[in-house]
Amino acid sequence: MRHPLRLTLGSILLISLAAPALAAPACLDAQRKVDEANALRFQFRQEARLGNHDRACDTLDEIGDRYADARHAFEDCGAGVVAIDLRSESRALRAAKAAHRC
């Protein structure tokens, strides 16, 4: 029978080993780029709702730039799994561009 405390201590050890990698400056910069992209996604939805096609397409381009910067920064800091997830976000972004004819 496993002792519940042992599992908890193992989880804490794993988290403590991963924390320095996620606190690296490149990871912090990457997270900032993702946050910027999320803010720009909100702006895109507003521009699209208002019918400002050119500005909406420009915003989609800016979002793509932020995702690319974030993906590279996550790869640099060793968080490759997050970088892979950002690739799927980039694919969704390309689909949005196609849907809005950008």
Side-chain angles (χ1 to χ4, degrees):
M1 182 174 147
R2 285 184 150 173
H3 192 277
L5 185 58
R6 177 178 284 167
L7 181 62
T8 304
L9 290 176
S11 300
I12 291 170
L13 179 62
L14 179 63
I15 291 169
S16 67
L17 291 175
L22 294 177
C27 285
L28 295 175
D29 184 49
Q31 184 57 50
R32 184 177 53 82
K33 293 293 183 181
V34 169
D35 293 342
E36 289 174 7
N38 288 334
L40 286 168
R41 287 177 76 157
F42 176 78
Q43 180 180 337
F44 161 74
R45 286 191 298 272
Q46 296 301 317
E47 296 291 348
R49 184 179 57 83
L50 294 173
N52 191 347
H53 180 264
D54 292 336
R55 184 62 193 139
C57 288
D58 290 343
T59 303
L60 285 174
D61 289 336
E62 291 177 39
I63 294 168
D65 293 343
R66 297 306 189 289
Y67 279 148
D69 292 344
R71 190 180 71 231
H72 295 302
F74 276 125
E75 287 172 349
D76 289 345
C77 76
V81 173
V82 179
I84 291 170
D85 189 44
L86 286 175
R87 288 185 194 130
S88 66
E89 290 292 332
S90 295
R91 282 191 296 276
L93 183 63
R94 284 192 299 275
K97 283 182 176 183
H100 289 281
R101 297 184 208 132
C102 296

